[in-house]
Amino acid sequence: MVDGMNEMYKVGYSTLFALGMRFDKFIRHLNHLLGYAKMIEVVDDLRTELTTERIRKLKEYLGTVEFTVHASFIAINIASMNEHIRKAAVKRVKKSIWRTYALEALKCTIHPGYDSVLAVLSPRMPFRQQLKSFREIFDYAERLGVTLCLENLSGREKGLVYKPTHILEIEKILGKKILVTLDVGHAHIAGNEFEFIDALGERIIHMHVHDNFGIHDVHLPIGRGNINWSSLFQRLRNRVGAHTTLIIENYTIEDIIESVEYLRTLLKFYDH
């Protein structure tokens, strides 16, 4: 936790900014950013993919850091109508869950599935495929003791989960409580960030924070878009799970630092 941050939240940053970066350069940037936040969410994709050797190096170089993991999501669709592709997607997500376990990370965020242009031929098939995948993925995480969080999307990218009711429906069918990563930027595009907080409350144990103007998912520094962060954190009080983790998702190091400074001021206010 950064000095001056609210005790209710642990604040960190995502390695989203480093997806195309060489690993040695990536490690140097992580060391630099430790002066701003002591928790890191590693995106298990592209050049920040969590190979066994990279997990060892992260533990060695950053031994006092707490980690979370964002499961692989690039070109992954756990709701694919093509069963071969669905199975491959599930296998890749499971690999991220295993790596979360190996890294001893606090939790792992997964994306839901996506609709298909051919769903017109069988409208409920992507949803059924997604449910099949969730059963496999959640059961696997439970066996490993990994805390899994389902992230909301924005509704603009044909994602199957972008409303609180979507999560509650999945929860009812699966017969298990779903923990949530509330992506505030995605929810703002869908126009339902406050609805998520009211409907899901303590299920929200992890958050992705970045800003936008309610149209495109541009991952601006916090305070640069038109999300009402003050009202959002006021609404969060006494509603979300204890020690909720906040992960800043920006595209550059400079933007991450700007977001940390904004959060430091905002959350310090809510300490009083």
Side-chain angles (χ1 to χ4, degrees):
M1 187 179 70
V2 180
D3 291 340
M5 289 290 192
N6 186 292
E7 292 289 342
M8 181 177 178
Y9 304 103
K10 290 183 178 181
V11 177
Y13 59 89
S14 169
T15 64
L16 189 65
F17 75 92
L19 285 180
M21 198 175 285
R22 292 193 325 271
F23 192 74
D24 58 339
K25 185 177 181 182
F26 162 63
I27 288 288
R28 289 199 299 273
H29 283 306
L30 294 191
N31 277 311
H32 170 66
L33 285 168
L34 288 181
Y36 297 92
K38 302 294 186 185
M39 186 170 61
I40 300 168
E41 178 155 293
V42 184
V43 181
D44 184 28
D45 248 322
L46 300 183
R47 287 192 167 185
T48 61
E49 183 176 344
L50 283 167
T51 63
T52 301
E53 178 63 14
R54 288 174 180 174
I55 289 171
R56 185 190 66 77
K57 286 184 176 180
L58 285 171
K59 285 183 168 183
E60 177 185 332
Y61 296 152
L62 307 168
T64 61
V65 173
E66 290 186 296
F67 291 100
T68 62
V69 171
H70 194 309
S72 178
F73 66 93
I74 297 173
I76 298 291
N77 185 9
I78 62 170
S80 175
M81 294 173 70
N82 183 316
E83 183 65 4
H84 298 290
I85 292 174
R86 186 199 70 81
K87 286 181 176 180
V90 169
K91 183 178 180 180
R92 182 62 184 89
V93 173
K94 283 182 176 179
K95 184 176 285 188
S96 290
I97 294 168
W98 167 256
R99 290 167 171 174
T100 303
Y101 171 77
L103 187 61
E104 301 176 72
L106 298 175
K107 56 197 75 168
C108 177
T109 291
I110 63 168
H111 273 197
Y114 299 85
D115 210 346
S116 167
V117 292
L118 292 178
V120 65
L121 303 175
S122 182
R124 291 290 284 178
M125 188 175 179
F127 181 75
R128 291 195 300 270
Q129 292 288 84
Q130 176 179 245
L131 284 176
K132 189 190 301 183
S133 297
F134 279 148
R135 287 190 178 97
E136 297 176 41
I137 290 166
F138 280 103
D139 286 349
Y140 183 71
E142 286 174 10
R143 290 200 301 273
L144 289 178
V146 170
T147 299
L148 209 59
C149 301
L150 177 60
E151 180 177 347
N152 60 297
L153 299 181
S154 71
R156 297 289 177 91
E157 67 290 89
K158 290 187 174 291
L160 294 175
V161 175
Y162 58 91
K163 296 178 181 179
T165 52
H166 294 156
I167 293 175
L168 293 173
E169 181 183 12
I170 292 164
E171 191 174 85
K172 183 177 180 181
I173 294 170
L174 295 183
K176 63 178 66 184
K177 185 176 182 179
I178 304 293
L179 298 176
V180 175
T181 292
L182 173 60
D183 189 300
V184 178
H186 294 168
H188 185 58
I189 292 170
N192 58 14
E193 57 265 47
F194 294 100
E195 183 184 343
F196 260 98
I197 295 167
D198 292 341
L200 299 181
E202 65 177 13
R203 291 175 178 81
I204 301 169
I205 64 166
H206 194 55
M207 293 172 62
H208 289 163
V209 291
H210 50 96
D211 219 329
N212 60 60
F213 288 96
I215 302 170
H216 302 296
D217 189 22
V218 286
H219 287 254
L220 297 174
I222 300 167
R224 290 274 199 96
N226 61 9
I227 294 175
N228 189 333
W229 294 100
S230 181
S231 293
L232 183 98
F233 279 102
Q234 184 65 44
R235 188 72 67 89
L236 283 167
R237 299 187 79 181
N238 303 318
R239 283 185 169 88
V240 299
H243 306 298
T244 297
T245 40
L246 303 182
I247 295 295
I248 295 165
E249 279 195 333
N250 292 141
Y251 290 149
T252 69
I253 292 171
E254 293 75 20
D255 286 356
I256 290 170
I257 293 170
E258 184 176 334
S259 291
V260 169
E261 296 297 343
Y262 188 98
L263 277 179
R264 177 183 283 120
T265 301
L266 184 64
L267 296 181
K268 188 175 182 181
F269 173 79
Y270 286 113
D271 261 339
H272 302 290

